[in-house]
């Protein structure tokens, strides 16, 4: 058994955090066609691209992108096609980008009408698409459309790599006592396609607000390719975490007894998931399942201290990574373009 119990911490899914108040998250906007956020997902972009290619095929025209399905074309190849000497190939990508930008702007307008999103001044856009040049252009175009409408909001890409943002953001979930005598912590980012586990170096001597935090160890597992059960997924996460503990020991890190987890859905105070976990392997919304408890049992101690596990929504965690960049605004939010459209809105807390 661990020698020293951990001091109490805030509940999972807390609304009041060290630097910000969480005004709203995981809003599920719907219309008669389904979830509105699905119109601004990675799948939506590729569906738009495929629709234009299909129009050409039906007219008997050559497809500028060849025979490869749109879902299989890498972002890198799509970006090369933007510079292709064949003008129709580049134009096809630009057309899909313009339609997607219009949808992203339209979805953002819907969010801005929500009570919890009132008077939002800036929105960062994260998720896998935000790491590409195409994503940056779409975000910039949507931002211009919103400015032209006098919406009073700016869209910008998230600063950190999409694979690392939520891991760095998880450090902002940790209570201040966790940092005493420690220079690193463990974090988990669970998505509908992949699960990431990282070793986060805090670099508090460079910046007490975690502006210099960085991921120094990372493992990514595309669970959607393997189709695991819920139990298999939990065991794989535990194995990945043990690997990061070993890495921390090899790097001689002073690892904090803390694991921050970002997970889709509405996170209850006891660590259960109320709803929103439908893209995860198995039933994560069962009243008999509690991921933080499972992880704490799998990794009961770190460095001789009881492990504290704290979980919040994955979009919230991505947004928290941007706290050091939001000192010039008061109300800001995040949209994450991934399997779906994650979302969260924050208000900066004033120093007491």
């Amino acid at each position: 058994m661990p020698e020293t119990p951990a001091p109490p911490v805030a509940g999972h899914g807390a609304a009041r955090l060290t630097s910000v108040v969480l005004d709203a998250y995981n809003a599920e906007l719907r219309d008669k066609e389904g979830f509105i956020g699905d119109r601004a997902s990675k799948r939506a972009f590729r569906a738009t691209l495929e629709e234009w290619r299909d129009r050409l095929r039906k007219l008997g025209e050559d497809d500028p992108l060849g025979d490869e399905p749109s879902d299989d074309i890498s972002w890198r190849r799509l970006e090369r096609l933007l510079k292709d000497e064949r003008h129709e190939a580049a134009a096809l990508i630009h057309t899909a980008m313009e339609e997607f930008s219009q949808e992203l702007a339209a979805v953002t307008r819907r969010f801005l009408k929500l009570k919890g999103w009132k008077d939002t001044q800036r929105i960062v856009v994260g998720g896998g698409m935000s790491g590409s040049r195409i994503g940056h252009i779409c975000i910039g175009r949507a931002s211009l459309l919103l400015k032209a409408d006098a919406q009073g909001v700016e869209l910008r890409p998230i600063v950190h790599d999409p694979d690392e943002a939520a891991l760095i953001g998880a450090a902002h979930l940790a209570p201040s006592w966790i940092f005493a005598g420690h220079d690193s912590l463990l974090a988990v980012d669970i998505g509908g396609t992949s699960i990431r586990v990282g070793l986060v170096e805090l670099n508090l001597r460079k910046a007490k607000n975690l502006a210099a935090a960085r991921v120094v160890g990372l493992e990514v597992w595309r669970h959607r390719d393997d189709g695991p059960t819920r139990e298999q997924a939990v065991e794989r996460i535990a194995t990945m975490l043990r690997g990061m503990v070993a890495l921390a020991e090899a790097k001689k890190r002073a690892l904090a007894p803390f694991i921050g987890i970002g997970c889709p859905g509405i996170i209850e105070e006891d660590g259960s998931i109320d709803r929103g976990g439908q893209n995860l392997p198995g039933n994560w919304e069962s009243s008999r399942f509690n991921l933080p408890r499972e992880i704490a049992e799998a990794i009961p101690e770190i460095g001789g201290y009881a492990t504290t596990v704290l979980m919040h929504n994955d979009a919230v965690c991505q947004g928290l990574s941007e706290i050091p960049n939001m000192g010039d605004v008061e109300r800001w939010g995040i949209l994450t373009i991934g399997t779906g459209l994650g979302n969260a809105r924050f208000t900066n807390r004033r120093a007491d």
Side-chain angles (χ1 to χ4, degrees):
M1 294 292 292
E3 296 178 0
T4 306
V9 297
H12 307 284
R16 188 175 179 84
L17 300 170
T18 302
S19 301
V20 295
V21 173
L22 178 60
D23 303 306
Y25 78 96
N26 204 62
E28 298 175 330
L29 300 178
R30 296 173 179 262
D31 63 11
K32 61 182 180 181
E33 297 179 359
F35 289 111
I36 291 175
D38 288 344
R39 301 176 190 169
S41 66
K42 288 191 295 184
R43 286 182 294 189
F45 175 83
R46 292 185 182 275
T48 299
L49 181 61
E50 184 63 27
E51 179 183 345
W52 275 97
R53 295 174 70 189
D54 190 50
R55 290 183 188 181
L56 293 175
R57 297 187 199 107
K58 288 179 178 178
L59 291 171
E61 299 289 339
D62 291 335
D63 184 341
L65 307 190
D67 298 327
E68 188 175 8
S70 297
D71 286 344
D72 296 338
I73 302 176
S74 68
W75 291 113
R76 185 172 297 179
R77 186 182 170 217
L78 289 174
E79 289 172 1
R80 286 200 303 267
L81 288 166
L82 283 174
K83 304 174 184 178
D84 201 303
E85 292 182 359
R86 298 170 301 162
H87 62 280
E88 286 191 348
L92 184 59
I93 308 301
H94 275 290
T95 300
M97 290 168 60
E98 176 61 22
E99 290 198 9
F100 181 84
S101 301
Q102 295 280 351
E103 290 290 358
L104 178 58
V107 170
T108 302
R109 292 186 192 100
R110 289 293 301 270
F111 274 99
L112 294 174
K113 292 179 180 179
L114 296 176
K115 181 179 179 181
W117 284 74
K118 183 180 179 181
D119 298 328
T120 301
Q121 298 161 278
R122 181 178 299 151
I123 298 174
V124 293
V125 182
M129 190 172 173
S130 68
S132 67
R133 178 62 179 163
I134 286 175
H136 281 204
I137 294 173
C138 289
I139 294 165
R141 173 61 175 150
S143 185
L144 288 176
L145 291 169
L146 293 168
K147 288 179 178 179
D149 286 348
Q151 293 287 336
V153 67
E154 170 199 18
L155 265 61
R156 61 166 63 169
I158 199 165
V159 169
H160 294 286
D161 184 284
D163 278 339
E164 300 181 354
L167 302 175
I168 292 171
H172 288 269
L173 297 175
S176 58
W177 59 262
I178 282 289
F179 300 142
H182 303 107
D183 60 19
S184 306
L185 55 73
L186 301 178
V188 182
D189 176 21
I190 300 170
T193 300
S194 300
I195 293 174
R196 303 163 184 83
V197 173
L199 174 62
V200 180
E201 181 183 71
L202 302 173
N203 281 320
L204 294 174
R205 291 183 178 179
K206 292 184 178 179
K208 291 183 178 180
N209 66 351
L210 296 172
R214 63 192 185 105
V215 176
V216 294
L218 175 67
E219 183 176 354
V220 181
W221 172 41
R222 284 184 57 87
H223 63 81
R224 176 162 287 189
D225 294 343
D226 296 341
T229 64
R230 184 183 68 193
E231 289 69 26
Q232 289 171 334
V234 172
E235 179 53 38
R236 180 66 179 270
I237 293 171
T239 299
M240 294 164 75
L241 282 167
R242 294 187 191 104
M244 289 300 154
V245 171
L247 178 63
E249 292 175 352
K251 289 178 172 288
K252 301 187 183 304
R253 301 285 180 185
L255 188 60
F258 178 86
I259 301 173
I261 302 176
C263 183
I266 298 292
I267 310 303
E268 299 288 3
E269 188 174 356
D270 65 354
S272 61
I273 301 173
D274 178 61
R275 65 182 186 277
Q278 64 272 7
N279 291 318
L280 302 176
N283 181 13
W284 291 49
E285 300 172 12
S286 169
S287 60
R288 296 186 298 274
F289 178 68
N290 188 290
L291 180 62
R293 188 182 306 136
E294 298 264 358
I295 296 302
E297 290 176 357
I299 316 288
E301 66 174 271
I302 296 175
Y305 293 88
T307 304
T308 295
V309 181
L310 198 58
M311 186 165 83
H312 216 309
N313 175 268
D314 57 337
V316 170
C317 287
Q318 282 198 50
L320 293 178
S321 72
E322 286 286 322
I323 286 176
N325 306 316
M326 294 296 164
D328 60 329
V329 294
E330 183 179 0
R331 297 168 299 278
W332 55 279
I334 183 168
L335 299 175
T336 63
I337 303 173
T339 306
L341 188 71
N343 55 87
R345 215 299 287 265
F346 307 92
T347 297
N348 289 334
R349 289 181 60 186
R350 296 178 180 176
D352 295 330

